[in-house]
Amino acid sequence: MALNLLSPAEIKSSPFLGSSNPGSPLFSLSKTQGAFNFKRKDYGTSRVHCSAQPPPSAWPGRAVPETNLRTWEGPKPLSIVGSTGSIGTQTLDIVAENPDKFRVVALAAGSNVTLLADQVKTFKPQLVAVRNESLVDELKEALADVKDKPEIIPGEQGVIEVARHPDAVSVVTGIVGCAGLKPTVAAIEAGKDIALANKETLIAGGPFVLPLAHKHKVKILPADSEHSAIFQCIQGLPEGALRRIILTASGGAFRDWPVDKLKEVKVADALKHPNWNMGKKITVDSATLFNKGLEVIEAHYLFGAEYDNIEIVIHPQSIIHSMVETQDSSVLAQLGWPDMRLPILYTMSWPDRVYCSEVTWPRLDLCKLGSLTFKMPDNVKYPSMDLAYAAGRAGGTMTGVLSAANEKAVEMFIDEKISYLDIFKVVELTCDKHRAELVETPSLEEIIHYDLWARDYAASLQLSKSPALM
């Protein structure tokens, strides 16, 4: 049974969202006839702002290829960090299908030595890293019959060396969490373009990573489907043409649930995505809409749009992956079947387009699809949106704290240590606690420090066994 977070005596004010009444908590929860009343507080227009100069965006609302693009002989050389994960394996599928366009020079993985060994045999990289140092001997044994053995470097240093391999032109960053920050920074410092699939690079690291990317004239190309859609829509726009970003969301498991049923949510309910099967963490994030709140922050860092000009719309069919509105009110959209390979491919081939066969890349048939629908998200059902926008406006280390606290809260929910609604409370209480220590222009070490701090603090909020809120 899930523990309630805090006893009434332990609940402290959480003014993170800038309520007109600083003593108001995020939720109004009262016990009436054995049930909760769930009411969203009205926060008016009060906001939390960061006074620091914001970092430069990766793309200032437009994407125009430079005339002096890098050149190389033969297929484009790539390094892949996180090769055995979902992004990495899909990237390698693309390489296998297009050997005349791409080749792999270095691979890094965490602990899936069996799959990594198969990848080495197939793609013949020059350098391989396994983050789990204790598995190096196992990897060497698995590669004993390989004629041209790659160099193997264990641990975090090995992952960094893969990211900055001298022959690589681009690095696909598929490693999950803040573990992807140091390799990405190393790749940027080595002048490699980044095919970005690691959210923490910008959500947590944006204030540090973006100035670094500009300094080294490195391109950050989004592999996330929503941000790839925006990136595709801004190709060739003139300067100042972008007016608004519209992020589409499936709505997750509870898009058709009434708000008052959320208090009854079980883990199994949150893991029933209406459109597709994904990992537990991302499926819960889709249910809470925290995934979209984090994408708002990432869109701000990528494209330079103000938070007032980034909106979320529920689109149940998940065919329009996102849209942009231009200054003259035209709306441009990118459509396609839900398939992560397309945005990954575009980060690898930009500014070119690679032909894809209909056998492995089904073409979109709008007549067969029939209809596309949209609706506004409910802030009462999805309080994650207000939390994400508030964290984004606070800036600095707050966005990384939001992401880390959410990750820990979701883990606690999946382990049935807290309830579904407690996810939002854990995140807000953690962000509110961080207000006093917020660093506006953090170093890489400070970003990593507060990521770890947020996880520890969120875990510590499993405080009360009191039945007072049960």
Side-chain angles (χ1 to χ4, degrees), residues 32 47 81 96 118 153 184 186 197 207 215 224 231 291 297 334 345 368 370 372 385 395 426 435 447 449-450 455 467:
T32 306
R47 294 172 181 158
V81 178
D118 289 341
I153 303 178
T184 304
K215 175 183 176 182
D224 198 36
F231 183 61
N291 68 326
I297 296 167
Q334 187 265 326
L345 172 61
K368 184 178 180 180
L372 303 174
M385 293 189 299
V426 165
R435 284 161 59 96
I447 289 166
H449 166 77
Y450 281 111
R455 296 169 194 275

mmCIF file of all heavy atoms in Angstrom, residues 32 47 81 96 118 153 184 186 197 207 215 224 231 291 297 334 345 368 370 372 385 395 426 435 447 449-450 455 467:
data_model
loop_
_atom_site.group_PDB
_atom_site.id
_atom_site.type_symbol
_atom_site.label_atom_id
_atom_site.label_comp_id
_atom_site.label_asym_id
_atom_site.label_seq_id
_atom_site.Cartn_x
_atom_site.Cartn_y
_atom_site.Cartn_z
ATOM 1 N N THR A 32 -13.831 14.045 2.651
ATOM 2 C CA THR A 32 -15.267 14.235 2.765
ATOM 3 C C THR A 32 -15.951 12.907 2.498
ATOM 4 O O THR A 32 -15.823 12.355 1.407
ATOM 5 C CB THR A 32 -15.765 15.282 1.743
ATOM 6 O OG1 THR A 32 -15.008 16.479 1.922
ATOM 7 C CG2 THR A 32 -17.232 15.559 1.925
ATOM 8 N N ARG A 47 4.322 34.680 -11.422
ATOM 9 C CA ARG A 47 5.293 33.734 -11.949
ATOM 10 C C ARG A 47 6.615 33.866 -11.233
ATOM 11 O O ARG A 47 6.903 34.876 -10.606
ATOM 12 C CB ARG A 47 5.519 33.980 -13.448
ATOM 13 C CG ARG A 47 4.281 33.679 -14.295
ATOM 14 C CD ARG A 47 4.527 34.132 -15.711
ATOM 15 N NE ARG A 47 3.340 33.868 -16.516
ATOM 16 C CZ ARG A 47 3.081 34.495 -17.641
ATOM 17 N NH1 ARG A 47 3.898 35.413 -18.092
ATOM 18 N NH2 ARG A 47 2.000 34.202 -18.328
ATOM 19 N N VAL A 81 26.552 6.714 -28.407
ATOM 20 C CA VAL A 81 26.642 6.569 -26.957
ATOM 21 C C VAL A 81 25.298 6.040 -26.462
ATOM 22 O O VAL A 81 24.275 6.709 -26.588
ATOM 23 C CB VAL A 81 26.979 7.915 -26.285
ATOM 24 C CG1 VAL A 81 27.014 7.762 -24.777
ATOM 25 C CG2 VAL A 81 28.306 8.457 -26.802
ATOM 26 N N ALA A 96 22.393 0.054 -40.774
ATOM 27 C CA ALA A 96 22.376 -1.221 -41.497
ATOM 28 C C ALA A 96 21.615 -1.102 -42.807
ATOM 29 O O ALA A 96 21.973 -1.728 -43.812
ATOM 30 C CB ALA A 96 21.772 -2.309 -40.623
ATOM 31 N N ASP A 118 27.461 -8.371 -30.332
ATOM 32 C CA ASP A 118 26.822 -8.583 -31.639
ATOM 33 C C ASP A 118 26.941 -7.332 -32.508
ATOM 34 O O ASP A 118 27.179 -7.426 -33.721
ATOM 35 C CB ASP A 118 25.349 -8.956 -31.454
ATOM 36 C CG ASP A 118 25.162 -10.353 -30.879
ATOM 37 O OD1 ASP A 118 26.123 -11.157 -30.961
ATOM 38 O OD2 ASP A 118 24.076 -10.635 -30.337
ATOM 39 N N ILE A 153 37.807 0.496 -24.027
ATOM 40 C CA ILE A 153 38.131 1.349 -22.882
ATOM 41 C C ILE A 153 36.965 1.253 -21.895
ATOM 42 O O ILE A 153 35.823 1.561 -22.246
ATOM 43 C CB ILE A 153 38.346 2.817 -23.289
ATOM 44 C CG1 ILE A 153 39.449 2.914 -24.343
ATOM 45 C CG2 ILE A 153 38.693 3.668 -22.073
ATOM 46 C CD1 ILE A 153 39.701 4.329 -24.834
ATOM 47 N N THR A 184 28.440 14.075 -23.631
ATOM 48 C CA THR A 184 27.949 15.078 -24.579
ATOM 49 C C THR A 184 28.830 16.320 -24.550
ATOM 50 O O THR A 184 29.174 16.881 -25.599
ATOM 51 C CB THR A 184 26.490 15.449 -24.269
ATOM 52 O OG1 THR A 184 25.680 14.265 -24.283
ATOM 53 C CG2 THR A 184 25.946 16.428 -25.292
ATOM 54 N N ALA A 186 31.958 16.403 -23.712
ATOM 55 C CA ALA A 186 33.229 16.019 -24.335
ATOM 56 C C ALA A 186 33.117 16.053 -25.859
ATOM 57 O O ALA A 186 34.039 16.499 -26.556
ATOM 58 C CB ALA A 186 33.647 14.632 -23.872
ATOM 59 N N ALA A 197 19.349 12.739 -28.185
ATOM 60 C CA ALA A 197 18.242 11.939 -27.673
ATOM 61 C C ALA A 197 18.252 11.895 -26.151
ATOM 62 O O ALA A 197 17.382 11.278 -25.542
ATOM 63 C CB ALA A 197 18.299 10.520 -28.233
ATOM 64 N N PRO A 207 21.766 25.606 -19.444
ATOM 65 C CA PRO A 207 22.522 26.829 -19.142
ATOM 66 C C PRO A 207 24.031 26.685 -19.326
ATOM 67 O O PRO A 207 24.723 27.674 -19.523
ATOM 68 C CB PRO A 207 22.170 27.088 -17.667
ATOM 69 C CG PRO A 207 20.847 26.426 -17.463
ATOM 70 C CD PRO A 207 20.904 25.194 -18.322
ATOM 71 N N LYS A 215 30.158 28.227 -28.578
ATOM 72 C CA LYS A 215 31.600 28.494 -28.569
ATOM 73 C C LYS A 215 32.326 27.598 -29.566
ATOM 74 O O LYS A 215 33.238 28.053 -30.285
ATOM 75 C CB LYS A 215 32.159 28.271 -27.154
ATOM 76 C CG LYS A 215 33.670 28.401 -27.058
ATOM 77 C CD LYS A 215 34.161 28.090 -25.640
ATOM 78 C CE LYS A 215 35.683 28.119 -25.554
ATOM 79 N NZ LYS A 215 36.161 27.771 -24.184
ATOM 80 N N ASP A 224 14.256 13.726 -30.576
ATOM 81 C CA ASP A 224 12.935 13.544 -29.992
ATOM 82 C C ASP A 224 11.889 13.856 -31.058
ATOM 83 O O ASP A 224 12.046 14.814 -31.823
ATOM 84 C CB ASP A 224 12.788 14.495 -28.798
ATOM 85 C CG ASP A 224 11.661 14.098 -27.871
ATOM 86 O OD1 ASP A 224 11.454 12.895 -27.686
ATOM 87 O OD2 ASP A 224 10.994 15.000 -27.345
ATOM 88 N N PHE A 231 11.768 21.261 -35.531
ATOM 89 C CA PHE A 231 12.989 21.520 -36.294
ATOM 90 C C PHE A 231 12.724 21.419 -37.796
ATOM 91 O O PHE A 231 13.198 22.249 -38.583
ATOM 92 C CB PHE A 231 14.073 20.529 -35.855
ATOM 93 C CG PHE A 231 15.399 20.745 -36.518
ATOM 94 C CD1 PHE A 231 16.092 21.933 -36.360
ATOM 95 C CD2 PHE A 231 15.961 19.739 -37.290
ATOM 96 C CE1 PHE A 231 17.335 22.125 -36.972
ATOM 97 C CE2 PHE A 231 17.196 19.917 -37.891
ATOM 98 C CZ PHE A 231 17.881 21.121 -37.734
ATOM 99 N N ASN A 291 6.080 14.335 -19.249
ATOM 100 C CA ASN A 291 6.903 14.254 -20.462
ATOM 101 C C ASN A 291 6.740 15.511 -21.308
ATOM 102 O O ASN A 291 7.703 16.045 -21.861
ATOM 103 C CB ASN A 291 6.567 12.996 -21.264
ATOM 104 C CG ASN A 291 5.169 13.032 -21.877
ATOM 105 O OD1 ASN A 291 4.238 13.592 -21.283
ATOM 106 N ND2 ASN A 291 5.001 12.444 -23.043
ATOM 107 N N ILE A 297 10.285 22.764 -21.740
ATOM 108 C CA ILE A 297 11.582 23.320 -21.342
ATOM 109 C C ILE A 297 12.621 23.085 -22.433
ATOM 110 O O ILE A 297 13.388 23.978 -22.802
ATOM 111 C CB ILE A 297 12.036 22.701 -20.012
ATOM 112 C CG1 ILE A 297 11.065 23.084 -18.892
ATOM 113 C CG2 ILE A 297 13.458 23.121 -19.663
ATOM 114 C CD1 ILE A 297 11.238 22.282 -17.614
ATOM 115 N N GLN A 334 4.308 18.779 -38.898
ATOM 116 C CA GLN A 334 4.993 17.603 -39.422
ATOM 117 C C GLN A 334 4.181 16.384 -39.022
ATOM 118 O O GLN A 334 3.850 16.186 -37.846
ATOM 119 C CB GLN A 334 6.408 17.502 -38.874
ATOM 120 C CG GLN A 334 7.253 16.393 -39.512
ATOM 121 C CD GLN A 334 7.243 15.100 -38.715
ATOM 122 O OE1 GLN A 334 7.172 15.118 -37.475
ATOM 123 N NE2 GLN A 334 7.305 13.969 -39.390
ATOM 124 N N LEU A 345 16.758 9.466 -37.933
ATOM 125 C CA LEU A 345 17.347 9.546 -39.264
ATOM 126 C C LEU A 345 17.606 10.996 -39.663
ATOM 127 O O LEU A 345 18.659 11.309 -40.244
ATOM 128 C CB LEU A 345 16.416 8.881 -40.279
ATOM 129 C CG LEU A 345 16.799 9.039 -41.760
ATOM 130 C CD1 LEU A 345 18.168 8.427 -42.034
ATOM 131 C CD2 LEU A 345 15.735 8.401 -42.647
ATOM 132 N N LYS A 368 -6.852 6.646 -45.186
ATOM 133 C CA LYS A 368 -7.007 5.453 -44.341
ATOM 134 C C LYS A 368 -7.127 5.846 -42.872
ATOM 135 O O LYS A 368 -7.886 5.244 -42.110
ATOM 136 C CB LYS A 368 -5.824 4.520 -44.548
ATOM 137 C CG LYS A 368 -5.915 3.210 -43.792
ATOM 138 C CD LYS A 368 -4.709 2.324 -44.111
ATOM 139 C CE LYS A 368 -4.772 1.008 -43.364
ATOM 140 N NZ LYS A 368 -3.592 0.150 -43.666
ATOM 141 N N GLY A 370 -8.346 8.748 -41.616
ATOM 142 C CA GLY A 370 -9.715 9.237 -41.416
ATOM 143 C C GLY A 370 -9.827 10.602 -40.794
ATOM 144 O O GLY A 370 -10.274 11.546 -41.417
ATOM 145 N N LEU A 372 -8.299 13.585 -37.575
ATOM 146 C CA LEU A 372 -7.368 14.044 -36.552
ATOM 147 C C LEU A 372 -8.129 14.960 -35.610
ATOM 148 O O LEU A 372 -8.859 15.847 -36.065
ATOM 149 C CB LEU A 372 -6.193 14.797 -37.178
ATOM 150 C CG LEU A 372 -5.365 14.052 -38.224
ATOM 151 C CD1 LEU A 372 -4.330 14.985 -38.844
ATOM 152 C CD2 LEU A 372 -4.691 12.836 -37.618
ATOM 153 N N MET A 385 1.994 20.480 -15.818
ATOM 154 C CA MET A 385 2.237 21.582 -16.751
ATOM 155 C C MET A 385 2.619 22.854 -16.015
ATOM 156 O O MET A 385 3.583 23.545 -16.371
ATOM 157 C CB MET A 385 1.009 21.804 -17.634
ATOM 158 C CG MET A 385 0.722 20.664 -18.591
ATOM 159 S SD MET A 385 -0.565 21.073 -19.792
ATOM 160 C CE MET A 385 -1.970 21.375 -18.712
ATOM 161 N N GLY A 395 14.452 28.879 -14.302
ATOM 162 C CA GLY A 395 15.715 28.690 -15.008
ATOM 163 C C GLY A 395 16.804 28.080 -14.154
ATOM 164 O O GLY A 395 16.558 27.498 -13.092
ATOM 165 N N VAL A 426 5.525 15.443 -4.644
ATOM 166 C CA VAL A 426 6.963 15.232 -4.462
ATOM 167 C C VAL A 426 7.751 16.235 -5.302
ATOM 168 O O VAL A 426 8.710 16.854 -4.827
ATOM 169 C CB VAL A 426 7.354 13.790 -4.850
ATOM 170 C CG1 VAL A 426 8.869 13.661 -5.017
ATOM 171 C CG2 VAL A 426 6.871 12.793 -3.807
ATOM 172 N N ARG A 435 14.491 26.359 -4.131
ATOM 173 C CA ARG A 435 14.462 27.783 -4.444
ATOM 174 C C ARG A 435 15.589 28.551 -3.763
ATOM 175 O O ARG A 435 16.203 29.441 -4.356
ATOM 176 C CB ARG A 435 13.106 28.378 -4.011
ATOM 177 C CG ARG A 435 11.971 28.044 -4.944
ATOM 178 C CD ARG A 435 10.620 28.229 -4.274
ATOM 179 N NE ARG A 435 10.406 29.597 -3.795
ATOM 180 C CZ ARG A 435 9.751 30.532 -4.490
ATOM 181 N NH1 ARG A 435 9.269 30.253 -5.678
ATOM 182 N NH2 ARG A 435 9.572 31.738 -3.985
ATOM 183 N N ILE A 447 25.330 21.253 -11.860
ATOM 184 C CA ILE A 447 24.170 20.603 -12.482
ATOM 185 C C ILE A 447 24.060 19.155 -12.008
ATOM 186 O O ILE A 447 22.988 18.681 -11.617
ATOM 187 C CB ILE A 447 24.284 20.673 -14.014
ATOM 188 C CG1 ILE A 447 24.058 22.109 -14.495
ATOM 189 C CG2 ILE A 447 23.278 19.737 -14.681
ATOM 190 C CD1 ILE A 447 24.471 22.342 -15.928
ATOM 191 N N HIS A 449 25.476 17.859 -9.326
ATOM 192 C CA HIS A 449 25.253 17.865 -7.869
ATOM 193 C C HIS A 449 23.774 17.995 -7.550
ATOM 194 O O HIS A 449 23.240 17.236 -6.714
ATOM 195 C CB HIS A 449 26.030 19.005 -7.220
ATOM 196 C CG HIS A 449 25.600 19.290 -5.805
ATOM 197 N ND1 HIS A 449 25.978 18.504 -4.738
ATOM 198 C CD2 HIS A 449 24.783 20.268 -5.284
ATOM 199 C CE1 HIS A 449 25.437 18.971 -3.628
ATOM 200 N NE2 HIS A 449 24.710 20.045 -3.931
ATOM 201 N N TYR A 450 23.086 18.938 -8.178
ATOM 202 C CA TYR A 450 21.678 19.170 -7.832
ATOM 203 C C TYR A 450 20.757 18.106 -8.422
ATOM 204 O O TYR A 450 19.658 17.877 -7.901
ATOM 205 C CB TYR A 450 21.255 20.584 -8.229
ATOM 206 C CG TYR A 450 21.746 21.599 -7.220
ATOM 207 C CD1 TYR A 450 22.746 22.508 -7.543
ATOM 208 C CD2 TYR A 450 21.248 21.613 -5.917
ATOM 209 C CE1 TYR A 450 23.222 23.424 -6.604
ATOM 210 C CE2 TYR A 450 21.717 22.517 -4.976
ATOM 211 C CZ TYR A 450 22.702 23.417 -5.317
ATOM 212 O OH TYR A 450 23.167 24.302 -4.379
ATOM 213 N N ARG A 455 17.124 13.910 -6.276
ATOM 214 C CA ARG A 455 16.702 12.516 -6.123
ATOM 215 C C ARG A 455 16.693 12.118 -4.644
ATOM 216 O O ARG A 455 15.759 11.458 -4.176
ATOM 217 C CB ARG A 455 17.632 11.599 -6.919
ATOM 218 C CG ARG A 455 17.565 11.835 -8.412
ATOM 219 C CD ARG A 455 18.681 11.105 -9.161
ATOM 220 N NE ARG A 455 18.782 11.610 -10.520
ATOM 221 C CZ ARG A 455 18.048 11.169 -11.534
ATOM 222 N NH1 ARG A 455 17.182 10.179 -11.338
ATOM 223 N NH2 ARG A 455 18.191 11.679 -12.734
ATOM 224 N N PRO A 467 -2.024 7.729 9.166
ATOM 225 C CA PRO A 467 -3.227 7.489 8.365
ATOM 226 C C PRO A 467 -4.069 8.750 8.198
ATOM 227 O O PRO A 467 -5.148 8.702 7.651
ATOM 228 C CB PRO A 467 -3.996 6.437 9.175
ATOM 229 C CG PRO A 467 -3.634 6.782 10.593
ATOM 230 C CD PRO A 467 -2.198 7.244 10.555
#
